[in-house]
Amino acid sequence: MRVRPGAPVLDSPLARAAALVHRLLVVGVWTAVACSPTVAAGLALGGDVTNLPLLAVAALPAGPAIAAALHALAAHRPDLADLHPSADFRRGYRRTCAASLRLWAPFLALLTVLAINLTHLDVAGVPGWWAVPLTLITVAACLWIAVALALLALGHRDAARRAAHTLATRPGVTLAVAALLVVAAAVTLAGTEAALLIAAPPLLHTLVRTVGRW
């Protein structure tokens, strides 16, 4: 949706809210399309632990999609003559695809190893308390990738190092991002992957605004 620059536009809180809702909806559609291979593979493979490596491979397209969505949401401005979220999403995808994969692929590999270990503690013959540090590492990795992708979308270089530094020195960011991850996990557990896709735009918008303030 484009509004001709210079055209009279109702500049009110309601109009600005409508512009934000428009961006969230459009970005949500693009994110769902970009993540459709991941969702389809997840539905086909199911939740069997033996499929975790395949699920990780299938999840590769989700990383660039999330980064592009964050870029498009970060580009939102209160100027109602600047309504082109589709172009912002495509631009963000082109700009962040390679860099986001360099962050996302190792994250998925680590997550897969951690998930396999957590679900096979009895087979490995290790004490049950090993689940605690493995879970903490999993949570830390999820916090790191969320902040790293947000920083990447905001145009920061060396997003991996900056994300680690932000989490270590900004407890407010850490707590806020942790809360968003809890909400995302709750939506997924209570519903389906499709429910998470619906909730993703407002969650990602909150994430990129939270990280961008620091």
Side-chain angles (χ1 to χ4, degrees):
M1 176 180 177
R2 289 179 180 273
V3 178
R4 180 173 57 83
V9 178
L10 180 61
D11 186 11
S12 67
L14 180 60
R16 289 192 291 271
L20 177 58
V21 170
H22 170 258
R23 180 167 290 264
L24 291 174
L25 290 174
V26 173
V27 170
V29 170
W30 278 105
T31 305
V33 170
C35 290
S36 57
T38 299
V39 175
L43 293 174
L45 293 172
D48 195 294
V49 176
T50 58
N51 289 328
L52 283 176
L54 292 176
L55 287 170
V57 173
L60 282 173
I66 294 171
L70 289 167
H71 179 276
L73 293 169
H76 178 68
R77 297 292 181 270
D79 180 7
L80 300 185
D82 185 28
L83 300 177
H84 40 84
S86 294
D88 289 332
F89 184 93
R90 293 193 299 268
R91 187 181 303 111
Y93 201 98
R94 290 193 301 269
R95 290 181 177 178
T96 64
C97 184
S100 62
L101 278 175
R102 287 195 292 270
L103 299 172
W104 188 250
F107 164 73
L108 288 178
L110 174 61
L111 211 62
T112 302
V113 172
L114 291 170
I116 291 174
N117 279 279
L118 280 169
T119 53
H120 291 84
L121 288 176
D122 53 341
V123 176
V126 297
W129 60 264
W130 269 76
V132 175
L134 290 177
T135 301
L136 292 176
I137 294 172
T138 301
V139 172
C142 291
L143 290 169
W144 171 82
I145 193 63
V147 176
L149 290 178
L151 289 171
L152 181 65
L154 290 166
H156 291 283
R157 296 181 179 181
D158 195 10
R161 183 188 63 80
R162 284 176 177 265
H165 180 266
T166 299
L167 291 170
T169 60
R170 304 289 186 180
V173 174
T174 303
L175 290 174
V177 176
L180 290 174
L181 291 178
V182 169
V183 172
V187 170
T188 304
L189 292 174
T192 62
E193 290 83 354
L196 182 58
L197 285 175
I198 295 172
L203 290 175
L204 293 176
H205 180 262
T206 305
L207 170 63
V208 77
R209 294 299 174 186
T210 299
V211 175
R213 281 198 296 266
W214 295 86

